[in-house]
PDB file of all heavy atoms in Angstrom:
ATOM      1  N   LYS A 253       1.036  -2.745 -22.810  1.00 98.00           N
ATOM      2  CA  LYS A 253       0.396  -2.088 -21.603  1.00 98.00           C
ATOM      3  C   LYS A 253      -1.050  -2.265 -21.473  1.00 98.00           C
ATOM      4  O   LYS A 253      -1.488  -2.599 -20.305  1.00 98.00           O
ATOM      5  CB  LYS A 253       0.707  -0.548 -21.676  1.00 98.00           C
ATOM      6  CG  LYS A 253       2.139  -0.140 -21.746  1.00 98.00           C
ATOM      7  CD  LYS A 253       2.773  -0.483 -20.423  1.00 98.00           C
ATOM      8  CE  LYS A 253       4.284  -0.118 -20.451  1.00 98.00           C
ATOM      9  NZ  LYS A 253       4.982  -0.730 -19.236  1.00 98.00           N
ATOM     10  N   LEU A 254      -1.742  -2.320 -22.644  1.00 98.00           N
ATOM     11  CA  LEU A 254      -3.182  -2.665 -22.603  1.00 98.00           C
ATOM     12  C   LEU A 254      -3.575  -4.069 -22.054  1.00 98.00           C
ATOM     13  O   LEU A 254      -4.439  -4.211 -21.162  1.00 98.00           O
ATOM     14  CB  LEU A 254      -3.759  -2.489 -23.882  1.00 98.00           C
ATOM     15  CG  LEU A 254      -3.738  -1.096 -24.652  1.00 98.00           C
ATOM     16  CD1 LEU A 254      -4.346  -1.146 -25.930  1.00 98.00           C
ATOM     17  CD2 LEU A 254      -4.164  -0.004 -23.646  1.00 98.00           C
ATOM     18  N   GLU A 255      -2.831  -5.062 -22.398  1.00 98.00           N
ATOM     19  CA  GLU A 255      -3.032  -6.383 -22.022  1.00 98.00           C
ATOM     20  C   GLU A 255      -2.686  -6.668 -20.585  1.00 98.00           C
ATOM     21  O   GLU A 255      -3.162  -7.541 -19.869  1.00 98.00           O
ATOM     22  CB  GLU A 255      -2.436  -7.428 -22.840  1.00 98.00           C
ATOM     23  CG  GLU A 255      -0.870  -7.488 -22.887  1.00 98.00           C
ATOM     24  CD  GLU A 255      -0.202  -8.508 -23.773  1.00 98.00           C
ATOM     25  OE1 GLU A 255       0.006  -8.099 -25.027  1.00 98.00           O
ATOM     26  OE2 GLU A 255       0.059  -9.551 -23.398  1.00 98.00           O
ATOM     27  N   LEU A 256      -1.752  -5.791 -20.057  1.00 98.00           N
ATOM     28  CA  LEU A 256      -1.190  -5.921 -18.692  1.00 98.00           C
ATOM     29  C   LEU A 256      -2.186  -5.370 -17.597  1.00 98.00           C
ATOM     30  O   LEU A 256      -2.001  -5.687 -16.445  1.00 98.00           O
ATOM     31  CB  LEU A 256       0.111  -5.502 -18.433  1.00 98.00           C
ATOM     32  CG  LEU A 256       1.378  -6.280 -19.235  1.00 98.00           C
ATOM     33  CD1 LEU A 256       2.598  -5.522 -19.125  1.00 98.00           C
ATOM     34  CD2 LEU A 256       1.467  -7.641 -18.675  1.00 98.00           C
ATOM     35  N   ALA A 257      -2.965  -4.389 -18.068  1.00 98.00           N
ATOM     36  CA  ALA A 257      -3.798  -3.575 -17.232  1.00 98.00           C
ATOM     37  C   ALA A 257      -5.078  -4.624 -16.793  1.00 98.00           C
ATOM     38  O   ALA A 257      -5.244  -5.576 -17.324  1.00 98.00           O
ATOM     39  CB  ALA A 257      -4.317  -2.320 -17.776  1.00 98.00           C
ATOM     40  N   ALA A 258      -5.627  -4.061 -15.651  1.00 98.00           N
ATOM     41  CA  ALA A 258      -6.753  -4.830 -15.045  1.00 98.00           C
ATOM     42  C   ALA A 258      -8.177  -4.314 -15.542  1.00 98.00           C
ATOM     43  O   ALA A 258      -9.060  -5.015 -15.610  1.00 98.00           O
ATOM     44  CB  ALA A 258      -6.721  -4.726 -13.529  1.00 98.00           C
ATOM     45  N   GLY A 259      -8.216  -2.923 -15.954  1.00 98.00           N
ATOM     46  CA  GLY A 259      -9.383  -2.326 -16.323  1.00 98.00           C
ATOM     47  C   GLY A 259      -9.045  -0.893 -16.745  1.00 98.00           C
ATOM     48  O   GLY A 259      -7.884  -0.399 -16.641  1.00 98.00           O
ATOM     49  N   PHE A 260     -10.047  -0.208 -17.319  1.00 98.00           N
ATOM     50  CA  PHE A 260      -9.952   1.052 -17.785  1.00 98.00           C
ATOM     51  C   PHE A 260     -10.988   2.055 -17.504  1.00 98.00           C
ATOM     52  O   PHE A 260     -12.137   1.720 -17.552  1.00 98.00           O
ATOM     53  CB  PHE A 260      -9.774   1.095 -19.347  1.00 98.00           C
ATOM     54  CG  PHE A 260      -8.606   0.126 -19.760  1.00 98.00           C
ATOM     55  CD1 PHE A 260      -8.658  -1.095 -20.041  1.00 98.00           C
ATOM     56  CD2 PHE A 260      -7.334   0.887 -19.905  1.00 98.00           C
ATOM     57  CE1 PHE A 260      -7.636  -1.911 -20.390  1.00 98.00           C
ATOM     58  CE2 PHE A 260      -6.243   0.135 -20.297  1.00 98.00           C
ATOM     59  CZ  PHE A 260      -6.363  -1.265 -20.635  1.00 98.00           C
ATOM     60  N   MET A 261     -10.743   3.314 -17.018  1.00 98.00           N
ATOM     61  CA  MET A 261     -11.492   4.427 -16.940  1.00 98.00           C
ATOM     62  C   MET A 261     -11.221   5.416 -18.069  1.00 98.00           C
ATOM     63  O   MET A 261     -10.238   5.921 -18.081  1.00 98.00           O
ATOM     64  CB  MET A 261     -11.331   4.893 -15.592  1.00 98.00           C
ATOM     65  CG  MET A 261     -11.760   4.262 -14.308  1.00 98.00           C
ATOM     66  SD  MET A 261     -11.236   4.960 -12.932  1.00 98.00           S
ATOM     67  CE  MET A 261     -12.149   6.598 -12.854  1.00 98.00           C
ATOM     68  N   ILE A 262     -12.245   5.794 -18.841  1.00 98.00           N
ATOM     69  CA  ILE A 262     -12.044   6.643 -20.034  1.00 98.00           C
ATOM     70  C   ILE A 262     -12.553   7.888 -19.596  1.00 98.00           C
ATOM     71  O   ILE A 262     -13.763   8.088 -19.480  1.00 98.00           O
ATOM     72  CB  ILE A 262     -12.739   6.040 -21.306  1.00 98.00           C
ATOM     73  CG1 ILE A 262     -12.241   4.612 -21.564  1.00 98.00           C
ATOM     74  CG2 ILE A 262     -12.384   7.022 -22.464  1.00 98.00           C
ATOM     75  CD1 ILE A 262     -10.745   4.364 -21.629  1.00 98.00           C
ATOM     76  N   GLY A 263     -11.714   8.897 -19.493  1.00 97.00           N
ATOM     77  CA  GLY A 263     -12.202  10.306 -19.160  1.00 97.00           C
ATOM     78  C   GLY A 263     -12.573  11.059 -20.353  1.00 97.00           C
ATOM     79  O   GLY A 263     -12.864  10.497 -21.387  1.00 97.00           O
ATOM     80  N   ASP A 264     -12.500  12.379 -20.233  1.00 95.00           N
ATOM     81  CA  ASP A 264     -12.931  13.298 -21.239  1.00 95.00           C
ATOM     82  C   ASP A 264     -11.829  13.585 -22.350  1.00 95.00           C
ATOM     83  O   ASP A 264     -10.596  13.552 -21.904  1.00 95.00           O
ATOM     84  CB  ASP A 264     -13.310  14.645 -20.703  1.00 95.00           C
ATOM     85  CG  ASP A 264     -14.114  15.537 -21.613  1.00 95.00           C
ATOM     86  OD1 ASP A 264     -13.439  16.306 -22.456  1.00 95.00           O
ATOM     87  OD2 ASP A 264     -15.374  15.429 -21.529  1.00 95.00           O
ATOM     88  N   PHE A 265     -12.153  13.421 -23.649  1.00 93.00           N
ATOM     89  CA  PHE A 265     -11.110  13.683 -24.622  1.00 93.00           C
ATOM     90  C   PHE A 265     -11.443  15.021 -25.357  1.00 93.00           C
ATOM     91  O   PHE A 265     -10.809  15.335 -26.430  1.00 93.00           O
ATOM     92  CB  PHE A 265     -11.142  12.662 -25.641  1.00 93.00           C
ATOM     93  CG  PHE A 265     -10.274  11.441 -25.167  1.00 93.00           C
ATOM     94  CD1 PHE A 265     -10.636  10.567 -24.244  1.00 93.00           C
ATOM     95  CD2 PHE A 265      -9.047  11.280 -25.867  1.00 93.00           C
ATOM     96  CE1 PHE A 265      -9.831   9.560 -23.817  1.00 93.00           C
ATOM     97  CE2 PHE A 265      -8.283  10.202 -25.389  1.00 93.00           C
ATOM     98  CZ  PHE A 265      -8.510   9.390 -24.407  1.00 93.00           C
ATOM     99  N   ASN A 266     -12.284  15.813 -24.799  1.00 81.00           N
ATOM    100  CA  ASN A 266     -12.547  17.300 -25.153  1.00 81.00           C
ATOM    101  C   ASN A 266     -12.754  17.458 -26.742  1.00 81.00           C
ATOM    102  O   ASN A 266     -12.177  18.146 -27.378  1.00 81.00           O
ATOM    103  CB  ASN A 266     -11.296  18.125 -24.796  1.00 81.00           C
ATOM    104  CG  ASN A 266     -11.653  19.560 -24.452  1.00 81.00           C
ATOM    105  OD1 ASN A 266     -12.439  20.132 -25.293  1.00 81.00           O
ATOM    106  ND2 ASN A 266     -11.020  20.164 -23.551  1.00 81.00           N
ATOM    107  N   MET A 267     -13.694  16.487 -27.227  1.00 64.00           N
ATOM    108  CA  MET A 267     -14.049  16.574 -28.549  1.00 64.00           C
ATOM    109  C   MET A 267     -15.493  17.291 -28.634  1.00 64.00           C
ATOM    110  O   MET A 267     -16.321  17.191 -27.970  1.00 64.00           O
ATOM    111  CB  MET A 267     -14.275  15.189 -29.237  1.00 64.00           C
ATOM    112  CG  MET A 267     -12.982  14.237 -29.093  1.00 64.00           C
ATOM    113  SD  MET A 267     -11.612  14.783 -30.033  1.00 64.00           S
ATOM    114  CE  MET A 267     -12.136  14.323 -31.599  1.00 64.00           C
ATOM    115  N   LEU A 268     -15.441  18.247 -29.619  1.00 56.00           N
ATOM    116  CA  LEU A 268     -16.658  18.948 -29.841  1.00 56.00           C
ATOM    117  C   LEU A 268     -17.727  18.247 -30.484  1.00 56.00           C
ATOM    118  O   LEU A 268     -17.694  17.555 -31.528  1.00 56.00           O
ATOM    119  CB  LEU A 268     -16.407  20.244 -30.699  1.00 56.00           C
ATOM    120  CG  LEU A 268     -15.256  21.236 -30.126  1.00 56.00           C
ATOM    121  CD1 LEU A 268     -14.901  22.305 -31.171  1.00 56.00           C
ATOM    122  CD2 LEU A 268     -15.710  21.814 -28.797  1.00 56.00           C
ATOM    123  N   GLY A 269     -18.903  18.230 -29.666  1.00 54.00           N
ATOM    124  CA  GLY A 269     -20.061  17.446 -30.210  1.00 54.00           C
ATOM    125  C   GLY A 269     -20.054  16.033 -30.022  1.00 54.00           C
ATOM    126  O   GLY A 269     -19.063  15.335 -29.777  1.00 54.00           O
ATOM    127  N   SER A 270     -21.327  15.405 -29.934  1.00 52.00           N
ATOM    128  CA  SER A 270     -21.423  13.979 -29.548  1.00 52.00           C
ATOM    129  C   SER A 270     -20.772  13.148 -30.612  1.00 52.00           C
ATOM    130  O   SER A 270     -20.308  12.057 -30.350  1.00 52.00           O
ATOM    131  CB  SER A 270     -22.921  13.735 -29.332  1.00 52.00           C
ATOM    132  OG  SER A 270     -23.589  14.009 -30.591  1.00 52.00           O
ATOM    133  N   SER A 271     -20.865  13.455 -31.899  1.00 58.00           N
ATOM    134  CA  SER A 271     -20.265  12.724 -33.076  1.00 58.00           C
ATOM    135  C   SER A 271     -18.759  12.543 -32.776  1.00 58.00           C
ATOM    136  O   SER A 271     -18.273  11.464 -32.985  1.00 58.00           O
ATOM    137  CB  SER A 271     -20.528  13.298 -34.326  1.00 58.00           C
ATOM    138  OG  SER A 271     -19.976  14.627 -34.503  1.00 58.00           O
ATOM    139  N   GLY A 272     -18.042  13.525 -32.342  1.00 83.00           N
ATOM    140  CA  GLY A 272     -16.705  13.452 -32.067  1.00 83.00           C
ATOM    141  C   GLY A 272     -16.326  12.530 -30.955  1.00 83.00           C
ATOM    142  O   GLY A 272     -15.356  11.654 -30.964  1.00 83.00           O
ATOM    143  N   GLU A 273     -17.242  12.601 -29.797  1.00 85.00           N
ATOM    144  CA  GLU A 273     -17.036  11.577 -28.678  1.00 85.00           C
ATOM    145  C   GLU A 273     -17.253  10.230 -29.205  1.00 85.00           C
ATOM    146  O   GLU A 273     -16.554   9.314 -28.649  1.00 85.00           O
ATOM    147  CB  GLU A 273     -18.015  12.013 -27.560  1.00 85.00           C
ATOM    148  CG  GLU A 273     -17.977  11.102 -26.360  1.00 85.00           C
ATOM    149  CD  GLU A 273     -18.991  11.571 -25.366  1.00 85.00           C
ATOM    150  OE1 GLU A 273     -19.770  12.477 -25.734  1.00 85.00           O
ATOM    151  OE2 GLU A 273     -19.154  10.872 -24.311  1.00 85.00           O
ATOM    152  N   GLU A 274     -18.305  10.032 -29.972  1.00 89.00           N
ATOM    153  CA  GLU A 274     -18.616   8.755 -30.370  1.00 89.00           C
ATOM    154  C   GLU A 274     -17.430   8.133 -31.291  1.00 89.00           C
ATOM    155  O   GLU A 274     -17.242   6.903 -31.105  1.00 89.00           O
ATOM    156  CB  GLU A 274     -19.849   8.691 -31.356  1.00 89.00           C
ATOM    157  CG  GLU A 274     -20.425   7.360 -31.657  1.00 89.00           C
ATOM    158  CD  GLU A 274     -21.068   6.714 -30.425  1.00 89.00           C
ATOM    159  OE1 GLU A 274     -21.499   7.397 -29.444  1.00 89.00           O
ATOM    160  OE2 GLU A 274     -21.081   5.519 -30.332  1.00 89.00           O
ATOM    161  N   GLU A 275     -16.816   8.906 -32.105  1.00 92.00           N
ATOM    162  CA  GLU A 275     -15.719   8.482 -32.764  1.00 92.00           C
ATOM    163  C   GLU A 275     -14.526   8.071 -32.109  1.00 92.00           C
ATOM    164  O   GLU A 275     -13.783   7.056 -32.225  1.00 92.00           O
ATOM    165  CB  GLU A 275     -15.327   9.630 -33.878  1.00 92.00           C
ATOM    166  CG  GLU A 275     -16.290   9.659 -35.058  1.00 92.00           C
ATOM    167  CD  GLU A 275     -16.043  10.805 -35.924  1.00 92.00           C
ATOM    168  OE1 GLU A 275     -15.437  11.954 -35.495  1.00 92.00           O
ATOM    169  OE2 GLU A 275     -16.289  10.789 -37.148  1.00 92.00           O
ATOM    170  N   VAL A 276     -14.187   8.862 -31.021  1.00 94.00           N
ATOM    171  CA  VAL A 276     -13.242   8.543 -30.090  1.00 94.00           C
ATOM    172  C   VAL A 276     -13.399   7.303 -29.390  1.00 94.00           C
ATOM    173  O   VAL A 276     -12.625   6.354 -29.259  1.00 94.00           O
ATOM    174  CB  VAL A 276     -12.917   9.690 -29.004  1.00 94.00           C
ATOM    175  CG1 VAL A 276     -12.022   9.265 -27.906  1.00 94.00           C
ATOM    176  CG2 VAL A 276     -12.441  10.942 -29.625  1.00 94.00           C
ATOM    177  N   LEU A 277     -14.662   7.072 -28.898  1.00 95.00           N
ATOM    178  CA  LEU A 277     -14.858   5.771 -28.168  1.00 95.00           C
ATOM    179  C   LEU A 277     -14.888   4.511 -29.083  1.00 95.00           C
ATOM    180  O   LEU A 277     -14.428   3.514 -28.656  1.00 95.00           O
ATOM    181  CB  LEU A 277     -16.320   5.891 -27.565  1.00 95.00           C
ATOM    182  CG  LEU A 277     -16.356   6.848 -26.355  1.00 95.00           C
ATOM    183  CD1 LEU A 277     -17.799   6.754 -25.782  1.00 95.00           C
ATOM    184  CD2 LEU A 277     -15.364   6.679 -25.240  1.00 95.00           C
TER     185      LEU A 277
END
Side-chain angles (χ1 to χ4, degrees):
K253 296 301 178 182
L254 300 182
E255 66 182 83
L256 292 173
F260 298 90
M261 294 170 57
I262 309 304
D264 196 273
F265 274 74
N266 211 318
M267 303 294 286
L268 297 177
S270 58
S271 60
E273 179 184 0
E274 192 71 26
E275 290 175 326
V276 169
L277 293 184

